[in-house]
Amino acid sequence: MSRYNAREVEPKWQTAWADAQVFHAKIDRTKPKYYVLEMFPYPSGKIHIGHGRNYVMGDVVARFKRAMGFNVLHPMGWDAFGMPAENAAMEQKTHPGKWTYANIATMKEQLKILGLSIDWSREFATCDPTYYKHQQKMFLDFERLGFVARKEANVNWDPVDHTVLANEQVIDGRGWRSGALVEQRKLTQWFFKISDMAEELLSALGDLDRWPDKVRLMQRNWIGKSEGARVTFELSDPKYGSLEVFTTRPDTLFGASFCAIAVDHPIAQEMAKTDTSLVSFIAECKRQGTTEAAIETAEKMGFDTGLKAKHPFIAGATVPVYVANFVLMEYGLGAIFGCPAHDQRDLDFARKYGLPVIPVVVPKGQDPKAFAVGTEAYIGDGLLANSGFMDGMNVDDAKRAVIKKLEAMGAGTGTITYRLRDWGVSRQRYWGCPIPMIHCDHCGVVPVRDEDLPVTLPDDATFDQPGNPLDRHPTWKNVDCPSCGKPARRETDTMDTFVDSSWYFARFCDAQAPGPTNKEAVDYWMPVDQYIGGIEHAILHLLYARFFTRAMRKAGYAGVSEPFAGLFTQGMITHETYKDQDGKWLFPEEVEKRDGAVVKRGSNQAVTIGSIEKMSKSKKNVVPPEAVADTYGVDAARWFMMSDSPPERDSEWSESGIEGSWRYVQRAWRMVNESAPHLPGFGSVAPDGFGHEALAIRQVTHRTIAAVTEDLDRFRFNKAVARMYEFVNALSDFKPVSEADQWALREALETLTVLMNPMVPHLAEECWQVLGGETMVVHTPWPKADPALTRQDTVTIAIQVNGKRRDEIDVAKDSDPKAVEAAVLAMESVVKAIDGKPVKKVIIVPNRIANVVV
RNA sequence: GCCCUCUUGGCGGAACUGGUAGACGCAACGGACUUAAAAUCCGUCGUUCGCGAGGACGUGCCGGUUCGAGUCCGGCAGAGGGCACCA
């Protein structure tokens, strides 16, 4: 018996699919459409098997839906702009484009090994001018429609390299190359006004019912709607006018003991002009870093400006105004009032600077005079005290009352704010889509004319020093003003790569469209029915794409508002890590397990086994797909990736695991190959009547169809795989005798082949051929379970006495509960367990369980 | 700091909306076949008591609700993820 030879079989079928253009998608209105998309890859170099899970998962869905009769679109492209290319250019003295396209070529070959059902005719890379020119066009349209703004924002600035750093390039507050302390610096930058759509993006989340709840919650929190009030405090020095703060707790206004403003607040900036100690305080705060985690975990610091704010309700009372590091200019109004008794952060601040702590909300049933706040702020509900007109109200009523009063006095209004900030898209880097704007000394900022697009990147940029190569390019930025014709300068910022990935799914609908999109194709294919990718994109990418799709709709490029009707976030593939005696990482293939010890291959050097981590180049715990395909075949790898771990969880790659999958492939092949010669002809008609054995195997077959169909539909690939194992185990035990048995076996083996096709498509084609199939299995419709065969006539119900399992009994399905009760009480095991005690009651859950309570 | 997730045998995991805990796979062990090995096949496989029939215990820890809790509620512990210029 010859073994299944994946190395020969797999390329053969891949060629057959390609020759027949099976995966070439066309608009076909006679079928329901299904658009399945995996988040497209960044071409970082080579793929490892860890990248494969995402694509294989999408491929299983695509092949399953195709068999179910859908017109499937399953494209692939490259998210090709980004920092790694520019870093590589600096380190390897090459061009980012050259590096990127070389990576794309390599990775495309590797992806093809996986046998994915992709329509490669739609492939594109976002770094290609034929893609980004459309992005520039849409940027200009968005600008005309008022979705674009230009304003100041902070960046991480490396004072030695004179360059802007990404958060990931800031390590412990220092630049990753220079080691210099990073500062925050303000730059005027381009923004998409996503915050204008905050409410829409928030409320539409409710309709995304095929998204994980977790992701919707993360987006909800990210948008961060809060209801509260703006309150105006008059200031002691009229030079600074008044101070407007935002609060979600206007009810605690009588407990205010200070106001705090952000370091970027106009009042702080104005005062800093004449106060050198404030200047140094601000500088100190600016070394903190821009991430929320850095700001939140930093020690709370305040600078007393000496200004006093007059309490809106208490005549003659004032509170000090501080500049504080924990107040963000980007959120609310960049100014707060502090009520230490009912906010932990305010309390910490008040204790540090010796400010009063006045409780104004007292838990119900406690005496307001005796209630005091120690080291923990009271944030719960209760009744107002020490609060004038609000005394005795609960928190919600007090909020309403105080807003009404503030509005009547002209000292404030009820308002809603969002945590969501506008999307800053400017990047001071070369390898991105140029922002099509021109700066003219006479006309200001002028858009590039549509007919002058694309603004392409110059090929002769230099990467030998840090900073933006576009900015220091000798000629590129010199251009005549489209408005007045005088010499002007191009914008040298490029777009955030998240812009590139915010509309690629729409471009895939017609990758050759002369404009940004082909509206007809977009209307047919969009939204993406099933989007698949990592949870790390739960917020930014997915929110930006939702915003961008809305903007595209308003600009006439799309007919939908939501890009992704269904979302699945899959787990990563992990692998053990290995280090040699010098502490250097080792590739798994450099490691050998010998006599129970782990050693460096071909030596006796001991190897330390490290933790199990996400496959990554840096830790070398990667396995190349070519090696797996050579040794076990791609189908074994695909099978392994779908088995064991549920798809949303991480899954560990192991040698024994892939061997187990290889055994499955061999076993399925052997079973089909050994049985085929004895089976009745393909498509032959079943003989009349079935023996018990044949009927049983038919029941198993149809129950497997029902179960696997449901599991695949619900993304439970691991369970679908387990079902297939059970099916194969049942078939192994089946010894056909009669003609009816042979016919039942043929039906079972054909079913097995079609059911496993989404996971192991090459093996399935080969089995199908052996079974006598005339067309490829890729063209074969999914089987339907026959309800007459999946129906259960008898059920086994468990029998408990006082909740403890004592026995079980087979009864007809949907038996009369009274009859079941009588049968149960008569059972010897039950009588013994009751031990003569009186029966209090009997609980019968139909078809499931009986519980006798004594 | 804030937000979120996870915790079931030696391991990955299964158990539909509270109803027989451990499907399926991996590893391990015993056996068959073989000169031998590989492959394959048969069997055992949560802990514990018992010759056996069978019993007791068991889903991170403590408590609660319920006839019944891996599942629901409260508290605690541990591990992991996200936090706006990585993609």
Side-chain angles (χ1 to χ4, degrees):
Chain A
M1 173 56 58
S2 67
R3 272 191 192 168
Y4 177 72
N5 188 342
R7 231 185 309 182
E8 281 171 19
V9 167
E10 288 173 350
K12 179 179 83 181
W13 289 109
Q14 287 172 13
T15 305
W17 297 325
D19 288 350
Q21 298 203 349
V22 179
F23 309 122
H24 198 91
K26 285 192 279 289
I27 291 179
D28 176 355
R29 297 186 196 278
T30 66
K31 288 180 181 175
K33 67 94 185 178
Y34 197 89
Y35 185 178
V36 56
L37 183 67
E38 304 98 53
M39 291 178 185
F40 66 161
Y42 178 79
S44 57
K46 285 184 178 174
I47 65 166
H48 49 71
I49 206 77
H51 295 107
R53 195 175 185 213
N54 188 18
Y55 307 117
V56 169
M57 227 173 255
D59 198 53
V60 170
V61 173
R63 288 176 182 271
F64 171 58
K65 291 289 176 181
R66 185 183 308 280
M68 294 283 274
F70 288 88
N71 185 32
V72 172
L73 172 61
H74 186 207
M76 178 63 72
W78 309 95
D79 188 14
F81 275 136
M83 229 169 35
E86 212 159 323
N87 293 337
M90 266 192 259
E91 280 156 19
Q92 302 168 17
K93 312 252 181 292
T94 174
H95 186 274
K98 212 174 146 186
W99 182 86
T100 301
Y101 280 106
N103 289 346
I104 288 175
T106 308
M107 289 173 64
K108 186 175 177 182
E109 286 315 302
Q110 290 183 297
L111 277 180
K112 286 194 160 180
I113 293 171
L114 295 175
L116 305 173
S117 61
I118 284 169
D119 180 356
W120 284 103
S121 74
R122 293 166 193 259
E123 175 191 7
F124 57 75
T126 57
C127 64
D128 197 298
T130 60
Y131 180 80
Y132 71 68
K133 75 175 178 189
H134 303 298
Q135 192 163 306
Q136 292 173 336
K137 172 73 168 75
M138 286 194 284
F139 185 94
L140 295 175
D141 290 335
F142 289 0
E143 205 267 338
R144 281 188 279 267
L145 288 165
F147 304 153
V148 176
R150 198 167 150 69
K151 54 186 177 181
E152 284 195 322
N154 286 318
V155 294
N156 299 308
W157 180 257
D158 186 320
V160 171
D161 278 352
H162 297 285
T163 190
V164 175
L165 298 177
N167 282 335
E168 78 158 9
Q169 295 172 320
V170 180
I171 294 151
D172 298 330
R174 291 173 182 273
W176 67 336
R177 277 181 215 282
S178 68
L181 276 174
V182 170
E183 303 165 2
Q184 284 178 50
R185 183 177 269 210
K186 271 198 167 147
L187 293 181
T188 303
Q189 309 200 53
W190 293 97
F191 286 81
F192 283 137
K193 287 156 78 177
I194 189 172
S195 62
D196 285 357
M197 281 193 210
E199 185 60 47
E200 196 184 335
L201 290 167
L202 178 67
S203 58
L205 281 174
D207 299 326
L208 295 175
D209 53 359
R210 290 205 296 117
W211 280 40
D213 289 342
K214 181 182 171 178
V215 173
R216 290 198 284 175
L217 180 66
M218 284 166 87
Q219 292 218 350
R220 201 167 286 131
N221 290 340
W222 188 256
I223 294 169
K225 182 176 184 173
S226 39
E227 294 182 36
R230 292 166 171 253
V231 182
T232 307
F233 286 80
E234 296 303 324
L235 294 175
S236 54
D237 185 342
K239 187 176 126 192
Y240 297 106
S242 57
L243 177 65
E244 216 181 351
V245 305
F246 174 75
T247 177
T248 57
R249 293 295 303 273
D251 54 303
T252 63
L253 203 42
F254 280 86
S257 57
F258 65 95
C259 284
I261 60 177
V263 294
D264 298 322
H265 194 281
I267 292 175
Q269 295 288 308
E270 184 60 32
M271 294 186 90
K273 286 180 184 164
T274 55
D275 187 336
T276 52
S277 51
L278 178 54
V279 171
S280 52
F281 177 79
I282 291 174
E284 196 183 336
C285 292
K286 294 237 169 196
R287 275 199 291 273
Q288 250 175 43
T290 54
T291 69
E292 188 172 320
I295 290 161
E296 288 285 328
T297 51
E299 195 194 340
K300 308 292 173 272
M301 291 190 297
F303 177 92
D304 189 348
T305 60
L307 272 179
K308 302 290 179 198
K310 295 177 189 165
H311 196 284
F313 296 132
I314 310 172
T318 63
V319 295
V321 177
Y322 283 80
V323 177
N325 63 343
F326 59 86
V327 181
L328 296 178
M329 196 59 218
E330 289 84 3
Y331 182 72
L333 300 164
I336 61 152
F337 81 79
C339 176
H342 305 294
D343 182 284
Q344 191 60 44
R345 191 182 55 191
D346 293 350
L347 182 64
D348 296 343
F349 190 80
R351 294 291 185 222
K352 182 168 178 182
Y353 292 101
L355 298 163
V357 177
I358 310 155
V360 290
V361 178
V362 177
K364 274 190 186 118
Q366 286 207 32
D367 177 8
K369 294 201 173 53
F371 182 70
V373 166
T375 53
E376 208 163 300
Y378 179 70
I379 54 173
D381 197 6
L383 299 179
L384 275 280
N386 304 321
S387 293
F389 64 92
M390 285 183 282
D391 278 353
M393 294 181 186
N394 66 36
V395 167
D396 283 343
D397 290 341
K399 279 180 180 170
R400 276 188 286 274
V402 71
I403 287 169
K404 203 169 156 194
K405 182 109 174 186
L406 286 166
E407 286 175 349
M409 291 163 60
T413 52
T415 186
I416 292 170
T417 25
Y418 299 89
R419 208 184 74 102
L420 180 66
R421 307 202 298 253
D422 281 336
W423 173 14
V425 296
S426 286
R427 297 292 182 271
Q428 297 68 39
R429 287 187 241 288
Y430 169 84
W431 196 232
C433 170
I435 293 174
M437 287 287 172
I438 289 163
H439 299 272
C440 172
D441 289 336
H442 306 274
C443 310
V445 184
V446 184
V448 172
R449 283 184 300 241
D450 285 356
E451 58 268 34
D452 293 338
L453 295 179
V455 177
T456 51
L457 292 167
D459 285 334
D460 57 349
T462 54
F463 302 93
D464 50 351
Q465 49 183 303
N468 183 354
L470 291 177
D471 208 30
R472 61 167 183 266
H473 190 280
T475 55
W476 182 78
K477 65 180 168 183
N478 299 326
V479 65
D480 291 341
C481 172
S483 175
C484 68
K486 291 184 185 137
R489 298 167 315 282
R490 279 193 194 287
E491 171 64 68
T492 58
D493 283 355
T494 53
M495 286 184 223
D496 180 6
T497 57
F498 275 123
V499 181
D500 313 338
S501 55
S502 287
W503 70 284
Y504 74 109
F505 42 86
R507 184 75 187 160
F508 274 143
C509 297
D510 181 352
Q512 267 75 49
T517 62
N518 167 349
K519 188 75 190 323
E520 191 205 351
V522 168
D523 286 346
Y524 176 80
W525 290 112
M526 289 294 290
V528 174
D529 295 277
Q530 187 62 60
Y531 197 38
I532 304 173
I535 186 73
E536 68 273 19
H537 292 293
I539 300 170
L540 294 183
H541 163 57
L542 291 168
L543 191 62
Y544 292 154
R546 295 181 63 217
F547 160 78
F548 209 92
T549 303
R550 280 175 164 71
M552 284 172 77
R553 182 179 191 172
K554 287 169 186 163
Y557 293 119
V560 293
S561 294
E562 286 295 339
F564 313 121
L567 173 70
F568 189 85
T569 52
Q570 102 285 358
M572 306 285 176
I573 291 189
T574 60
H575 196 286
E576 277 181 338
T577 49
Y578 307 103
K579 275 185 181 175
D580 67 10
Q581 285 162 331
D582 306 326
K584 286 201 193 110
W585 299 106
L586 294 172
F587 286 108
E589 74 232 34
E590 296 176 297
V591 171
E592 197 175 7
K593 288 184 181 150
R594 211 191 304 140
D595 309 327
V598 181
V599 294
K600 207 164 165 178
R601 189 170 290 280
S603 79
N604 287 318
Q605 272 191 56
V607 165
T608 318
I609 301 182
S611 58
I612 296 164
E613 298 197 45
K614 181 177 124 185
M615 279 193 183
S616 77
K617 268 200 292 194
S618 61
K619 295 198 171 136
K620 292 197 175 177
N621 60 340
V622 294
V623 176
E626 299 90 335
V628 177
D630 265 4
T631 316
Y632 303 103
V634 154
D635 281 338
R638 291 173 60 117
W639 188 256
F640 180 39
M641 285 190 255
M642 294 301 109
S643 39
D644 292 355
S645 288
E648 67 276 11
R649 265 198 233 175
D650 286 351
S651 129
E652 195 195 339
W653 188 270
S654 67
E655 213 47 32
S656 55
I658 181 75
E659 277 169 18
S661 296
W662 181 85
R663 276 198 296 271
Y664 171 81
V665 168
Q666 295 296 335
R667 190 175 169 205
W669 167 250
R670 211 179 320 118
M671 182 178 287
V672 168
N673 216 30
E674 283 172 3
S675 307
H678 314 291
L679 298 175
F682 192 87
S684 64
V685 179
D688 287 339
F690 277 96
H692 176 75
E693 291 298 307
L695 180 65
I697 219 69
R698 292 203 73 205
Q699 284 176 336
V700 170
T701 301
H702 283 261
R703 283 170 194 163
T704 303
I705 294 171
V708 170
T709 306
E710 200 195 330
D711 287 338
L712 291 184
D713 227 15
R714 297 171 67 170
F715 266 72
R716 300 197 297 209
F717 305 118
N718 54 325
K719 285 185 68 187
V721 165
R723 295 287 191 178
M724 302 293 284
Y725 273 112
E726 285 178 301
F727 190 26
V728 169
N729 288 344
L731 292 179
S732 302
D733 294 340
F734 178 53
K735 302 284 173 262
V737 179
S738 67
E739 194 188 342
D741 288 351
Q742 290 292 357
W743 190 85
L745 183 59
R746 164 167 283 285
E747 181 189 42
L749 291 174
E750 283 178 16
T751 302
L752 172 72
T753 302
V754 181
L755 292 185
M756 70 185 182
N757 174 53
M759 277 88 91
V760 285
H762 312 85
L763 171 68
E765 293 291 2
E766 198 69 9
C767 288
W768 196 244
Q769 198 175 51
V770 169
L771 287 168
E774 279 153 23
T775 59
M776 287 190 282
V777 77
V778 73
H779 293 303
T780 306
W782 198 253
K784 279 198 173 59
D786 180 350
L789 291 165
T790 53
R791 203 182 57 223
Q792 296 275 0
D793 293 325
T794 60
V795 289
T796 305
I797 67 171
I799 293 163
Q800 298 180 337
V801 176
N802 284 343
K804 274 193 194 304
R805 186 184 173 279
R806 292 294 170 191
D807 208 339
E808 60 184 37
I809 186 172
D810 287 337
V811 296
K813 193 165 185 240
D814 301 323
S815 297
D816 177 19
K818 287 207 176 66
V820 175
E821 181 174 334
V824 165
L825 290 174
M827 287 172 80
E828 196 186 328
S829 51
V830 173
V831 172
K832 195 180 151 209
I834 290 172
D835 195 23
K837 296 186 200 103
V839 174
K840 283 187 200 146
K841 64 174 162 174
V842 181
I843 292 152
I844 305 281
V845 182
N847 304 325
R848 285 207 173 273
I849 205 163
N851 190 9
V852 180
V853 185
V854 291

